[in-house]
Amino acid sequence: MTSDANVRAGQCHCGAVRFEVTLSDDFKSIRRCTCSYCRMRGAVVAMAAMGGIKFLRGEEALTTYRFHTGSAQHFFCSRCGIYTHHQRRSDQSLYAVNVACLNGVSPFDFAEVPVMDGVNHTNDTGKPTRQAGTLRFVPAD
């Protein structure tokens, strides 16, 4: 059972898409990925179970992008272009939510973010997901 502390409000940049999300384990699952799309997008994500996102408005403004195998579905606002979340390729029962879209949260709030090896994706290699590295944020004085 999730606690109310795991329920977060979020939105895209222009506010056309607004949602509430129940994070599976708060921010314990934050990560980035090295696949070509995630590398270019640069988002830090946290996990939510299927059905864990409730759209308050603007679900119709979302558009999707798929590539490679087409199994991961990446959602973004058709008006401002901000990536809000995606259905994961390795576990399609989970969404990865862009933490920068969550009210009061910044990707720079996390001193260390694990970076997963999406170039050598577990669905392609048959091997367990490997951590490729750690992204660190050190604030300037």
Side-chain angles (χ1 to χ4, degrees):
M1 177 173 240
T2 57
S3 71
D4 288 341
N6 290 339
V7 177
R8 306 281 179 147
Q11 67 181 46
C12 65
H13 189 262
C14 70
V17 177
R18 294 181 188 264
F19 60 91
E20 285 183 344
V21 61
T22 302
L23 299 177
S24 300
D25 59 0
D26 199 31
F27 295 112
K28 293 180 185 84
S29 62
I30 61 163
R31 63 183 63 191
R32 286 192 53 179
C33 174
T34 64
C35 82
S36 60
Y37 190 63
C38 291
R39 188 171 56 240
M40 293 176 111
R41 180 178 60 212
V44 173
V45 297
M47 301 308 129
M50 185 64 64
I53 299 176
K54 175 184 171 190
F55 291 95
L56 305 176
R57 87 167 185 217
E59 186 174 8
E60 72 285 350
L62 288 171
T63 190
T64 62
Y65 176 68
R66 295 175 188 242
F67 73 104
H68 189 44
T69 65
S71 57
Q73 189 171 194
H74 303 265
F75 296 87
F76 55 98
C77 176
S78 62
R79 296 182 187 152
C80 66
I82 293 298
Y83 153 73
T84 55
H85 66 291
H86 73 275
Q87 183 178 15
R88 293 185 55 199
R89 177 180 177 212
S90 58
D91 184 347
Q92 294 206 315
S93 70
L94 290 175
Y95 286 117
V97 179
N98 181 356
V99 300
C101 290
L102 302 178
N103 297 348
V105 181
S106 166
F108 305 111
D109 292 342
F110 308 100
E112 293 189 343
V113 177
V115 180
M116 308 315 288
D117 183 1
V119 171
N120 300 296
H121 196 279
T122 187
N123 288 8
D124 297 331
T125 65
K127 297 178 181 175
T129 303
R130 181 182 82 84
Q131 185 170 330
T134 303
L135 186 67
R136 290 187 172 85
F137 177 70
V138 179
D141 292 337

